[in-house]
Amino acid sequence: MRRTSLRSLASIAAGNGMRMRRWDFVAAYLQGDLQPGEVVYCHAPPGYATLGADGRPRVCRVEKPIYGMAQAGRRWQRTLFPWLLKYGFTQCSSDPCVFTLQRKSPDERLIIGCYVDDLFILHHDDAPGSLYATFTDALALRWNVEDEGP
């Protein structure tokens, strides 16, 4: 998410009486998925034998994105964004890391800004059954997340 988008979200929250909370994905990159058919190898980690019985260097096949992998951030984004779209969010055309969700009855709206492994969620109501509560429950069922507060 662009810095200007984060400032805009803060301005929208202040101007519309919305609350803004930050949610963190614990070990986000490890919760991403590789693309179908994508094969990635890396050197054996420290503490593991670096040479096989035949004397050739050992490598490990990576099954999930890991920190330090060049494409880990993009794989995480390609896991999270489709989930948000499937949930009903609309992606902003000016910043693809900003999403909105509107419920007509009762009139509720969520605005989300994604920054690496954090979500900034703007909402009006956090009562049980509200759009915010329903969404954050679904988020916690799908991923290991922590509410880091305002």
Side-chain angles (χ1 to χ4, degrees):
M1 175 173 57
R2 299 180 182 117
R3 286 185 206 162
T4 55
S5 296
L6 182 56
R7 286 194 299 267
S8 295
L9 290 178
S11 176
I12 290 168
N16 293 293
M18 298 176 86
R19 299 177 184 132
M20 186 175 192
R21 297 191 69 84
R22 185 167 69 107
W23 284 71
D24 178 62
F25 290 92
V26 178
Y29 289 178
L30 303 178
Q31 297 186 55
D33 295 312
L34 295 175
Q35 296 289 81
E38 182 177 21
V39 179
V40 178
Y41 293 97
C42 69
H43 293 285
Y48 285 85
T50 55
L51 297 176
D54 58 1
R56 294 187 341 195
R58 287 186 129 182
V59 294
C60 299
R61 183 174 178 175
V62 178
E63 294 186 5
K64 298 285 277 179
I66 56 176
Y67 287 93
M69 198 169 102
Q71 60 269 53
R74 182 70 175 132
R75 296 301 172 255
W76 164 239
Q77 186 183 55
R78 285 187 176 172
T79 301
L80 175 63
F81 286 13
W83 186 84
L84 290 171
L85 294 171
K86 185 176 177 183
Y87 194 84
F89 281 89
T90 302
Q91 196 168 23
C92 181
S93 59
S94 60
D95 186 341
C97 295
V98 176
F99 296 82
T100 60
L101 178 64
Q102 183 81 33
R103 184 192 285 175
K104 300 293 182 199
S105 177
D107 188 27
E108 289 185 274
R109 178 175 39 159
L110 291 181
I111 303 173
I112 291 181
C114 302
Y115 182 75
V116 187
D117 65 345
D118 292 323
L119 290 183
F120 295 90
I121 305 176
L122 279 67
H123 62 97
H124 285 288
D125 184 14
D126 57 3
S130 68
L131 185 58
Y132 173 78
T134 305
F135 171 70
T136 55
D137 288 347
L139 195 66
L141 283 175
R142 173 63 176 91
W143 284 291
N144 184 7
V145 291
E146 293 179 351
D147 180 0
E148 298 200 341

